[in-house]
Amino acid sequence: MKWVKTFVVTAKFENFRKASEELFLTQPAVTKHIRRLEEALAIELFERIGNKVVLTPAGHTYLAYAKKLLRQYEQGMEQFEAWKQGYNRKLTIATAPQIASSFLPSLVRQFIIENPSIEVMINVIQSYDIGEEVSTGQADIGLTRILPPQTNVNIERVHEDPVILVGPPECRDTEHDEHLLINKYRLITHNHPDYWDELLQDIKRHYPTIRTMKVNQIEVTKRFIEEGLGISYLPYTVVKNELAMNKLTEIKPDKITPPTSSTYRVTKVETEEVSRFVAFLRVALCN
């Protein structure tokens, strides 16, 4: 398998030196791997042209088999490693950053306690990519803040989260209503993939001179607010800990009606592991 991996990487670069750097091997070791593979297959895979190598017709043909062989080997080793650690089943969850940093950690912790034989893997990606991740089988279940466009997946809204306006801690020492603070601070926008375009239009109708700042990460937004750099509309679940610790302050609404933030679960194949997690998710989010 070492020879096969060396071949695949060398085919990518068509350069022994670059392959050696990628594989953390010496260049003579790369050359030796390729020579031994060619001897085992009884055919040349590369044509040497000075310092460069190019795939022969046989090399082009074998490359597809080599990639498939390497992929199956790596998947097998992952499964075997999981077996050695006591797992006999696996659940891969693709999740949006906003969910991964709010209610998901405690939920996964309890799920693992109740299902110790299931290996849980978390893949944090943007909401826009989660439908594709589930559709192509890269994840067993997805948790996203937006409706995926894919038509070959099953989608269910599992949670509605109120969105609230929050400001820095010093707002507690003032008359912290929306009208005063929205004119005092910059409004940090576009940290959520779903509601900002509509919400911002509504805000600008009531506060046409408002100053805005785009920040595309909720965790960064929270830190900016804590430092007094602005205020923002955020889902309650992602700020409830900071509110409890007095790191952020909730600002009461006046002219603006805040939206809600939905959480959707996305599945394609209902395996036993998926069914268990979906049932667990429904119960956990209802409590």
Side-chain angles (χ1 to χ4, degrees), residues 38-82:
E38 289 176 327
E39 289 172 356
L41 297 172
I43 198 164
E44 283 194 352
L45 300 172
F46 291 102
E47 181 182 357
R48 281 74 169 173
I49 304 174
N51 294 327
K52 191 178 179 184
V53 291
V54 295
L55 286 167
T56 63
H60 274 290
T61 301
Y62 183 68
L63 182 58
Y65 299 114
K67 286 181 177 179
K68 183 178 179 181
L69 181 63
L70 190 61
R71 186 163 57 249
Q72 290 176 334
Y73 170 78
E74 289 173 346
Q75 288 173 349
M77 290 305 295
E78 284 180 8
Q79 292 170 6
F80 182 61
E81 185 61 32

Side-chain angles (χ1 to χ4, degrees), residues 118-132:
I118 298 178
E119 180 186 13
V120 178
M121 303 181 71
I122 306 295
N123 187 13
V124 181
I125 57 177
Q126 295 302 313
S127 283
Y128 306 102
D129 300 322
I130 288 174
E132 181 69 14

Side-chain angles (χ1 to χ4, degrees), residues 82-96:
W83 176 84
K84 287 197 299 181
Q85 294 181 37
Y87 300 117
N88 52 40
R89 287 172 295 174
K90 184 172 76 171
L91 180 71
T92 301
I93 302 170
T95 180

